[in-house]
Amino acid sequence: DIQLTQSPSFLAASVGDRVTITCRASQAISSFLAWYQQRPGNAPKLLIFGASTLQSGVPSRFSGSGSGTEFTLTISSLQPEDFATYYCQQLNSYPRTFGQGTKLEIK
Amino acid sequence: QVQLQQWGAGLLKPSETLSLTCAVQGGSFTAYGWTWIRQPPGKGLEWISEIYYTGSTTYSPSLKSRVTMSVDTSKKQFSLQLRSVTAADTAVYYCARALRGLSARMDHWGQGTLVTVST
């Protein structure tokens, strides 16, 4: 199985901040990486796929980059609704593994 | 608009079989894969399995011996069975639509079903 490691696991930030979350894969996965946002009590919501393609309807303050084994999710200017947990997922091979999550909290 | 509506028993005893069904409303049923993912309380996401309308399945190696997925194309539904459950199977179970290839992703999710395994 491909292991995904996210860093940091917890992040405290303020409204308006720029934040970056990193996802590292245990082996190369090309650009087969997606990012999801999950608010408490809700199903995950797709933000980005193909490492950098923004899902329709997702605000442009979200962006993704990377290929191979290292990927980043950046939120350019945090909004109150962005405080949530973020997961990366690899779709290069089965099983489709997830990172352990990054919880973004209000400072 | 695509919607996934899921249902199934929420309380099981150890050794029983978990059974969940997900119905797809809107969009094509044959152009996508259909998946199950679970999330133990307070923990992260775990991919369980995927099925296509042909009945072709892929299972997580860690659960493969206990999992069966099935599909009913006429009803646009797919199902999950997990046998011999224990407390470790307590989780919110989600169904989701999956795409493969260069645009691989899980773009629509069900609302989630909390399944609790307890004596």
Side-chain angles (χ1 to χ4, degrees):
Chain A
D1 298 5
I2 295 175
Q3 309 300 318
L4 296 180
T5 303
Q6 291 181 228
S7 59
S9 294
F10 297 93
L11 178 57
S14 302
V15 173
D17 283 355
R18 177 185 181 92
V19 299
T20 297
I21 300 168
T22 298
C23 178
R24 290 187 173 86
S26 60
Q27 61 191 79
I29 57 171
S30 185
S31 297
F32 295 103
L33 189 102
W35 289 97
Y36 301 87
Q37 175 193 67
Q38 187 178 34
R39 298 189 179 104
N42 288 87
K45 172 188 172 183
L46 175 67
L47 298 175
I48 287 168
F49 62 93
S52 61
T53 302
L54 201 64
Q55 172 71 353
S56 175
V58 174
S60 59
R61 64 180 179 273
F62 291 92
S63 63
S65 65
S67 67
T69 62
E70 187 153 336
F71 303 85
T72 60
L73 171 70
T74 299
I75 310 172
S76 61
S77 178
L78 277 172
Q79 299 302 301
E81 61 268 29
D82 299 338
F83 293 94
T85 300
Y86 293 84
Y87 293 94
C88 57
Q89 182 198 26
Q90 65 82 19
L91 298 108
N92 179 75
S93 62
Y94 292 98
R96 308 294 209 208
T97 46
F98 291 89
Q100 82 279 12
T102 295
K103 186 173 184 180
L104 180 53
E105 299 177 327
I106 299 175
K107 185 184 289 184
Chain B
Q1 183 175 354
V2 177
Q3 289 190 329
L4 279 66
Q5 184 72 31
Q6 58 182 103
W7 65 88
L11 180 61
L12 297 173
K13 292 182 168 55
S15 80
E16 292 185 333
T17 295
L18 178 157
S19 183
L20 297 172
T21 298
C22 185
V24 180
Q25 299 166 343
S28 169
F29 189 74
T30 60
Y32 301 94
W34 304 98
T35 70
W36 290 99
I37 298 104
R38 70 180 182 178
Q39 185 172 37
K43 297 189 177 180
L45 300 165
E46 179 184 16
W47 182 91
I48 300 171
S49 57
E50 183 176 282
I51 194 167
Y52 283 79
Y53 76 99
T54 57
S56 172
T57 53
T58 306
Y59 299 124
S60 171
S62 65
L63 296 169
K64 187 174 184 177
S65 63
R66 297 193 292 131
V67 171
T68 301
M69 275 192 79
S70 59
V71 64
D72 186 336
T73 305
S74 66
K75 294 182 178 180
K76 297 179 70 173
Q77 294 178 2
F78 59 102
S79 298
L80 174 74
Q81 285 199 326
L82 179 64
R83 296 175 292 279
S84 304
V85 297
T86 70
D89 296 310
T90 294
V92 176
Y93 287 74
Y94 295 101
C95 59
R97 188 176 83 168
L99 292 87
R100 291 194 294 189
L102 294 177
S103 299
R105 59 196 187 268
M106 294 181 184
D107 63 348
H108 287 88
W109 294 62
Q111 78 276 18
T113 300
L114 174 60
V115 177
T116 302
V117 181
S118 174
T119 57

